[in-house]
Amino acid sequence: LIRRAGAGCAPRPFSLPPLTAKGTPMTAVDAGDSRMLTTADGRPLKDALSRAQGRAKRRAFLLVAPLLLFILVTFVWPILQVLEQSVYNPKFSDNMPGMVAWFASHPVGTEPDEAAYATLVADLKAAAEAKTVAVAGERVNYALPGTRSLFTAVGRKAKTLEPPFKESLIAVDPKWGDPELWGVMRQVAKPYTGDFFLAAVDLERDKNGSIVRVNENERVYVNLFLRTFAMSAFITAICLVLAYPVAHLLAVLPVRQSNLLMILVLLPFWTSLLVRTTSWIVLLQEQGVINNILVALGIISDDGRLQMINNRMGTTIAMTHILLPFMILPLYSVMRPIPPSYVRAARSLGATSWTAFRRVYFPQTVPGIGAGTLLVFILSVGYYITPALVGGSTGTLISNLIAFHVNKSNNWSMAAALATILLAAILILYWLYDKLVGIDKLKLG
């Protein structure tokens, strides 16, 4: 620089920027507020960036707000209602307020006296006038079957009952003097209760309030939960075994042929679920197509026709056919981008076909396996129409019992408790998958 400046020019003074305590060059922010970077209008650059990011976040939130509101209204809010319904049932407490007050003022084990029966008759008369006696009896009937008719019968005669009310009620039906009935009424007097969750796992409270198992011939729900999860896992495994080679074939074929076969995979989606299920009824029944073919070929005799419907076999076959595309599509989505050169390179380096598949190809398909497995399992756990039509008594799932309580027994709280347990089981499965495999590795397409 001095040489270029010329002989008559003195060199310009030059100095290094100030250093911080760590020896790094000091920035404008390190030098103090007087040298802080600012925008053209004089605002600090940090504040301007923060405001710009805030505006961008608010704009993004406004864009997704309609979708978020839709999810809250149609998904989150119904789930919260189901959770509340599973522990809240005011049918007895709303229609028998006098009995609720009497139970609250008298400890457990108190023998009902004449005042208790008088309060009961007064509530029955009021409920009869309001035509809600059956509603109160229905709540008691959930815990003690046969009591709904007891309430409705005495409701019709409530106006004619005269003191002493204890003798009058017992004269109408001796069950009104049963300590078990009074113990059940004490339990259902509280609108919030966990008894429905106890019943959902085959437990109940005795007359002293202790939790005990129900009678062996009444244990239904636990076995049905186990059957549901076992059949869902079995159907998921079958779908995986069948879908893996199909997805691999679709991935390695040329695009034109692959698209043609993909139409055959997607063809069931264009057919009604009810039609597909009833088609399996035609195929699987004793006088159906499959049995007739086997008899015609001499494989089985006419007297030895196979029972393939109204049992677990029918449910498994029909559900596997319906859910198979949900396993093929995630697998295909991860197999298609895998370059064939990877496996060829492994084999050129001395690996056998099995080793190349196990160590090179298969690990890259794990995200699709995880996605398909979760999707098929969750769908099969909640299936209702197919098990109802082809399952019979041994092929029904827990969803069929939930529908029974909603549509026939009118026990919405019990249905909500069963649905809540099913939801909790699915969330636990989702959590385990996240811990063992990782949700970030899951790919649906």
Side-chain angles (χ1 to χ4, degrees):
L1 290 175
I2 295 175
R3 221 179 285 121
R4 287 183 181 182
C9 298
R12 298 177 62 183
F14 175 76
S15 62
L16 293 173
L19 301 179
T20 61
K22 297 182 179 180
T24 58
M26 184 179 294
T27 62
V29 177
D30 296 326
D33 294 340
S34 60
R35 300 179 60 190
M36 182 178 294
L37 296 177
T38 59
T39 59
D41 55 357
R43 288 184 302 168
L45 182 60
K46 184 177 180 181
D47 294 343
L49 290 175
S50 178
R51 292 182 181 180
Q53 291 175 355
R55 285 195 300 268
K57 290 179 180 179
R58 287 191 294 271
R59 190 180 299 113
F61 176 77
L62 291 176
L63 290 175
V64 301
L67 178 60
L68 179 61
L69 181 63
F70 178 79
I71 293 175
L72 290 175
V73 173
T74 62
F75 184 73
V76 177
W77 179 248
I79 290 178
L80 294 178
Q81 285 187 318
V82 168
L83 293 175
E84 183 187 19
Q85 195 76 25
S86 63
V87 295
Y88 179 70
N89 194 313
K91 289 183 177 181
F92 186 87
S93 59
D94 286 352
N95 298 292
M96 307 287 284
M99 292 306 302
V100 173
W102 188 87
F103 286 127
S105 60
H106 294 77
V108 178
T110 304
E111 290 289 336
D113 52 8
E114 179 62 21
Y117 280 92
T119 303
L120 177 59
V121 171
D123 283 344
L124 290 172
K125 288 181 179 179
E129 293 178 359
K131 298 181 179 180
T132 57
V133 174
V135 176
E138 189 177 66
R139 176 64 185 93
V140 181
N141 191 78
Y142 294 157
L144 188 62
T147 51
R148 186 179 186 275
S149 58
L150 184 67
F151 274 75
T152 55
V154 78
R156 291 190 294 266
K157 303 177 181 179
K159 293 182 179 180
T160 62
L161 296 177
E162 299 292 340
F165 294 110
K166 180 176 182 180
E167 296 178 2
S168 300
L169 280 174
I170 294 177
V172 174
D173 197 312
K175 292 181 180 178
W176 287 108
D178 189 357
E180 184 180 6
L181 174 61
W182 284 85
V184 171
M185 287 195 296
R186 179 183 289 274
Q187 293 176 16
V188 303
K190 299 177 181 179
Y192 286 94
T193 177
D195 290 346
F196 294 105
F197 282 102
L198 293 179
V201 291
D202 294 333
L203 299 175
E204 63 178 358
R205 296 183 187 274
D206 58 13
K207 60 182 180 180
N208 297 322
S210 302
I211 298 176
V212 296
R213 297 191 67 183
V214 300
N215 296 330
E216 187 173 356
N217 57 349
E218 298 177 3
R219 298 171 188 173
V220 177
Y221 300 109
V222 172
N223 292 333
L224 198 54
F225 271 115
L226 295 177
R227 181 199 300 175
T228 298
F229 291 126
M231 289 186 63
S232 299
F234 183 61
I235 292 169
T236 302
I238 295 177
C239 288
L240 178 60
V241 172
L242 296 177
Y244 202 94
V246 174
H248 176 69
L249 179 63
L250 293 173
V252 298
L253 284 177
V255 176
R256 187 172 182 178
Q257 300 177 15
S258 176
N259 291 339
L260 180 62
L261 294 179
M262 183 61 72
I263 294 176
L264 300 179
V265 173
L266 298 177
L267 188 61
F269 287 117
W270 304 336
T271 308
S272 170
L273 176 63
L274 187 61
V275 173
R276 283 181 280 169
T277 303
T278 52
S279 300
W280 279 110
I281 296 177
V282 175
L283 292 172
L284 299 176
Q285 60 184 337
E286 286 191 11
Q287 301 298 326
V289 176
I290 295 178
N291 270 309
N292 288 339
I293 293 176
L294 294 177
V295 171
L297 295 176
I299 299 177
I300 59 175
S301 63
D302 191 60
D303 297 333
R305 290 176 176 264
L306 301 177
Q307 182 68 30
M308 296 182 291
I309 201 170
N310 295 328
N311 52 24
R312 298 186 186 183
M313 180 183 293
T315 301
T316 302
I317 294 174
M319 288 182 62
T320 299
H321 166 252
I322 294 170
L323 295 174
L324 189 59
F326 293 98
M327 183 68 77
I328 294 177
L329 295 178
L331 288 173
Y332 172 77
S333 68
V334 298
M335 290 180 177
R336 191 70 183 182
I338 299 177
S341 58
Y342 286 2
V343 176
R344 291 198 300 266
R347 296 186 64 181
S348 67
L349 293 174
T352 62
S353 299
W354 167 246
T355 302
F357 169 78
R358 179 173 55 88
R359 302 189 62 179
V360 177
Y361 189 82
F362 180 79
Q364 298 181 77
T365 63
V366 168
I369 293 175
T373 300
L374 271 182
L375 188 60
V376 172
F377 184 83
I378 292 174
L379 289 175
S380 59
V381 163
Y383 245 56
Y384 163 67
I385 296 178
T386 303
L389 294 178
V390 302
S393 59
T394 60
T396 55
L397 305 180
I398 193 66
S399 56
N400 301 107
L401 196 57
I402 294 174
F404 168 79
H405 284 303
V406 171
N407 298 324
K408 294 185 178 181
S409 70
N410 201 29
N411 192 350
W412 283 56
S413 294
M414 189 66 199
L418 293 172
T420 302
I421 293 176
L422 193 61
L423 176 63
I426 295 300
L427 292 177
I428 292 174
L429 175 67
Y430 191 84
W431 177 77
L432 288 175
Y433 181 88
D434 184 32
K435 291 296 182 182
L436 297 176
V437 180
I439 295 300
D440 57 328
K441 297 181 180 180
L442 186 145
K443 293 183 179 179
L444 289 173

